[in-house]
Amino acid sequence: MDRLTSTALLPESFQGARDDITEQMGMVWQQIKAPVMVPLLRLAVFLCLVMSVMLVVEKAYMAVVIVLVKLFGRRPEKRYRWEPMRDDLELGSSSYPMVLVQIPMYNEKEVYQLSIGAACGLSWPSDRIIIQVLDDSTDPVIKDLVEAECRRWASKGVNIKYEIRDNRSGYKAGALKEGMKHSYVNHCDYVAIFDADFQPEPDFLYRTVPFLLHNPAVGLVQARWKFVNSDECLMARMQEMSLDYHFTVEQEVGSSAYAFFGFNGTAGVWRIAALNEAGGWKDRTTVEDMDLAVRASLKGWKFVFLGDLKVKNELPSTLRAYRYQQHRWSCGPANLFRKMAMEIANNKKVSLWKKVHVIYSFFFVRKVVAHIVTFVFYCVVIPAAVLVPEVEIPRWGAIYIPSIIALLNAVGTPRSLHLLVFWILFENVMSLHRTKATLIGLLEAGRVNEWVVTEKLGDTVKAKMAVKAARKPPIRIGDRLHLLELWTGAYLFFCGCYDVAFGKNHYFLYLFLQAIAFFVVGFGYVGTFVPGY
C-alpha cells in the first residue's frame, strides 16, 4: 500500500530519491518553478514596477509643486483675503463671530487637563466662544475628573460645557455629531476641533478664523501638527519623518493646487454651514474626518492649509498604540475609496481635473498603491527573485526609484536625514500592517470598522515608567512577540542566506538589514514598552 501511494503521489523519476526529503523538495521546486513560479513572479514584478513608477511620478510632481510654491511665495495670505481681527469700538465683541471649540475624549486620564486648559486659554472674547468637552469615557473615575476640571474652568468665567451620552455609537464621529445637536450650537458660525492631546497656542483662532470670515467659499482651515515627544525614542523620530512629509508636502500641495486635502480630524476650524451642507459627521468608516472633507469638497467648498501654524500634540510611543493607529489610518481611506469612488466620478460640481486628483492621486496612489507596493515589492517580490534567478528586476526599479522616493520623503524633516536608512527599514516593516489594513478596507472584511483610541501616555505615565524601570518588573514574553513580523523576518533572512550562497546581485545586503528590522519589531524592541499599555 505504501509503495502504491508513493508511486501515485510522486513521478517515477523521484522514486530513487524518496528517502531524501531535502532532495525531493528540491526536485519538486525545480518541477514547478519554470511553469508556475517564473510566470507568476514576472507578473508580480511587472505590476510592482508599474506601481513604483506611479508612486515616484506622484512624489516628483508634488516636489515640483512645492518648489514652485516656495519660489513664487504663494502663501495662503496671498492667495486668500486675510485681515487680522480688530476690536470695533461701536460693536464691541459682537463683531467677532461665535466659535465652538469641541474636544472629544475617551478615558484620557493623562492628557485631559492639558487639552482643556489649552482650549480655555484661547484668546477670543469670552462671550463669543463656547468650549464643548465631549466625554465618552467609560471609566467613572476619569469622568468625574474631567467633569471637575470643566467645573473649575467654569468657575473662572469660561463658557465651557461638559457633554456626555449614553453610548459610544459611532465613536468619535458619533460624539461630534451629537455635540452639534445642542441648541447653543445654533448660535455658532465656526467649530474648531482638537483631540484630547492637542494644545493650541492662544492665538490659534486669530490666525485661522479670518480666512473663513473673509472668504465665503472656504469651508475648512487646517493647521499643522507639532510633536512634543518626537525625541522620546527612535520610533517617534520615524513617525515624525512620515508625518512631516504629509504636512510639508501632501497637505501643502493639496491646498495650493486644488484647495482640497484630507482633514486631519483635529487642529482645524470648520465653517458650520459647510459641515452641515456636506451632510455632517458620518461613522461609516474609521476616517470620519476624511469622509467629511471629501463630501464637503464635492459640494464645492475650498480648504486652506496653514503650514506655519503648528499645534502641539503627542505621537504614539508604544508599538501597540502605533499599530492600532496605522490600521485605522490605512483601512479607513481604502474603505472610503471603495464607498465613494463612483460618487466622486459622477459629481457635477467639481472639475474633471479635481476629480482625477481625488480619485487617482489622493486615494489610489497615496492610500492604496503606496502601502501595497512597499510591502509586496520590497518584502516579498524582491526576496523571491533571489530564489528564482530566471526573473530579473531592473536596477532602476529595485534601487533608483526606491532611493528617489526615500530622499523626497526625507525633505520634510531635514534634521533626521541621517536616520534615513532606519526610516526605510521601519516603514517597510509597518507596510506589512498597512497592506493588510488596506486590503481589509478594500474588501470590507473583518476588522474594517475596528476603532481603538490611540493611547496617550502624557508626562504622568512617563514618570511612572521611570519608577517601574528602576524596579525592573517582570515582562511576559507574549507581550512582546509579534508573529507576523517574525515570520516575515525569517523569510527575508532565508532569502538573504540563499543569495549569499547562490546569488549574484548582492541583494543579501538589503535582505539581512530588513530581516533584522523585522526581528527587532517582532521581538518588541521598538518604541516605549509599558507593561499594561
Side-chain angles (χ1 to χ4, degrees):
M1 183 66 183
D2 180 67
R3 183 179 182 85
L4 289 175
T5 305
S6 178
T7 304
L9 291 176
L10 295 173
E12 186 175 345
S13 60
F14 285 177
Q15 296 309 306
R18 63 186 179 186
D19 294 329
D20 188 344
I21 302 299
T22 303
E23 185 175 347
Q24 286 185 19
M25 291 178 62
M27 295 180 69
V28 170
W29 169 249
Q30 291 301 323
Q31 289 288 323
I32 68 172
K33 185 168 69 170
V36 179
M37 297 305 299
V38 171
L40 285 177
L41 191 55
R42 282 179 177 157
L43 176 62
V45 169
F46 172 75
L47 293 175
C48 287
L49 289 176
V50 170
M51 289 191 288
S52 295
V53 171
M54 293 168 63
L55 187 57
V56 76
V57 168
E58 176 70 11
K59 298 280 186 182
Y61 162 72
M62 290 192 291
V64 170
V65 173
I66 287 298
V67 170
L68 293 176
V69 168
K70 299 300 181 184
L71 285 177
F72 292 100
R74 285 178 55 81
R75 294 168 56 85
E77 291 84 355
K78 293 185 177 180
R79 290 185 285 115
Y80 297 93
R81 287 185 57 201
W82 189 88
E83 298 175 13
M85 301 293 299
R86 293 187 176 91
D87 293 333
D88 190 305
L89 295 178
E90 295 182 2
L91 297 176
S93 62
S94 61
S95 63
Y96 286 76
M98 195 75 178
V99 178
L100 174 70
V101 178
Q102 290 185 314
I103 310 174
M105 57 177 59
Y106 171 73
N107 292 339
E108 305 288 0
K109 182 179 180 180
E110 315 304 336
V111 294
Y112 74 93
Q113 288 180 307
L114 292 175
S115 58
I116 294 175
C120 293
L122 289 169
S123 296
W124 203 253
S126 59
D127 60 334
R128 307 300 293 172
I129 186 172
I130 301 173
I131 311 297
Q132 186 185 66
V133 178
L134 304 169
D135 189 12
D136 269 1
S137 298
T138 53
D139 187 326
V141 175
I142 297 176
K143 291 182 75 168
D144 290 343
L145 290 172
V146 175
E147 186 176 12
E149 183 70 8
C150 292
R151 286 200 303 267
R152 188 173 75 84
W153 281 102
S155 67
K156 296 181 178 182
V158 176
N159 188 1
I160 185 169
K161 309 288 185 182
Y162 176 73
E163 307 290 359
I164 58 174
R165 54 188 183 139
D166 296 332
N167 57 71
R168 290 191 66 217
S169 175
Y171 303 106
K172 179 181 174 182
L176 293 170
K177 183 177 182 179
E178 195 69 25
M180 297 299 294
K181 294 180 179 179
H182 295 281
S183 57
Y184 55 81
V185 176
N186 296 331
H187 304 291
C188 298
D189 304 290
Y190 311 116
V191 54
I193 302 168
F194 300 102
D195 281 351
D197 58 318
F198 278 71
Q199 306 162 51
E201 296 295 331
D203 65 347
F204 179 87
L205 295 178
Y206 277 98
R207 296 179 64 179
T208 54
V209 169
F211 285 99
L212 296 160
L213 189 63
H214 300 299
N215 301 277
V218 173
L220 165 68
V221 180
Q222 172 74 59
R224 183 175 170 176
W225 298 359
K226 178 182 179 182
F227 312 108
V228 297
N229 63 331
S230 58
D231 292 322
E232 182 178 324
C233 59
L234 186 59
M235 190 182 80
R237 288 288 288 272
M238 302 299 99
Q239 293 178 66
E240 181 190 40
M241 292 178 71
S242 298
L243 288 170
D244 276 352
Y245 177 82
H246 168 69
F247 286 108
T248 305
V249 179
E250 292 179 346
Q251 298 293 73
E252 191 68 65
V253 168
S255 178
S256 302
Y258 307 97
F260 166 78
F261 47 82
F263 175 44
N264 295 119
T266 178
V269 185
W270 277 94
R271 186 187 301 274
I272 292 180
L275 193 154
N276 290 335
E277 186 183 352
W281 294 102
K282 294 185 179 181
D283 59 359
R284 57 181 175 172
T285 71
T286 57
V287 283
E288 73 295 323
D289 42 15
M290 187 181 294
D291 187 351
L292 175 61
V294 174
R295 285 185 281 112
S297 178
L298 295 181
K299 294 293 184 180
W301 292 99
K302 297 180 179 180
F303 303 161
V304 178
F305 174 69
L306 302 181
D308 294 334
L309 179 58
K310 301 179 181 181
V311 180
K312 293 187 292 184
N313 68 101
E314 180 181 322
L315 290 165
S317 54
T318 66
L319 179 61
R320 177 179 176 228
Y322 185 57
R323 284 175 60 176
Y324 277 125
Q325 182 200 68
Q326 292 305 295
H327 174 86
R328 191 171 76 246
W329 286 6
S330 302
C331 179
N335 190 232
L336 184 63
F337 178 48
R338 170 193 169 110
K339 293 178 184 296
M340 292 201 69
M342 292 307 300
E343 182 181 343
I344 297 168
N346 295 329
N347 185 271
K348 305 297 183 183
K349 287 192 175 183
V350 297
S351 66
L352 175 63
W353 183 242
K354 189 169 185 177
K355 284 192 277 190
V356 170
H357 166 70
V358 176
I359 294 175
Y360 175 77
S361 297
F362 181 78
F363 274 117
F364 186 62
V365 176
R366 299 185 207 168
K367 311 301 182 186
V368 178
V369 167
H371 300 326
I372 292 176
V373 74
T374 302
F375 177 69
V376 174
F377 193 30
Y378 306 129
C379 300
V380 178
V381 172
I382 289 180
V386 170
L387 307 177
V388 187
E390 293 87 347
V391 177
E392 292 187 8
I393 300 176
R395 189 176 296 271
W396 59 265
I399 299 175
Y400 299 147
I401 283 183
S403 299
I404 293 171
I405 292 174
L407 289 172
L408 289 175
N409 271 280
V411 170
T413 315
R415 78 184 187 103
S416 297
L417 188 61
H418 62 291
L419 299 174
L420 186 58
V421 172
F422 294 100
W423 177 81
I424 294 170
L425 298 174
F426 180 71
E427 283 295 292
N428 287 351
V429 174
M430 293 310 302
S431 70
L432 166 63
H433 297 284
R434 293 180 184 134
T435 298
K436 184 175 71 170
T438 299
L439 295 176
I440 288 173
L442 288 174
L443 300 175
E444 209 156 29
R447 296 170 57 198
V448 66
N449 291 317
E450 179 184 70
W451 179 285
V452 179
V453 175
T454 305
E455 298 159 340
K456 293 95 178 177
L457 297 185
D459 295 329
T460 306
V461 169
K462 290 168 190 173
K464 293 178 182 177
M465 284 165 49
V467 175
K468 289 183 178 180
R471 296 175 182 172
K472 294 184 179 180
I475 297 174
R476 294 180 298 173
I477 298 296
D479 290 341
R480 282 190 177 274
L481 291 182
H482 305 288
L483 295 182
L484 278 177
E485 285 88 345
L486 293 176
W487 279 114
T488 307
Y491 165 70
L492 290 164
F493 186 77
F494 170 77
C495 293
C497 293
Y498 190 92
D499 194 40
V500 170
F502 306 107
K504 300 177 181 178
N505 47 29
H506 303 293
Y507 282 159
F508 67 87
L509 296 172
Y510 158 73
L511 294 173
F512 285 146
L513 285 175
Q514 191 62 70
I516 291 171
F518 270 98
F519 286 139
V520 169
V521 176
F523 285 111
Y525 287 99
V526 65
T528 303
F529 183 76
V530 185
Y533 272 80

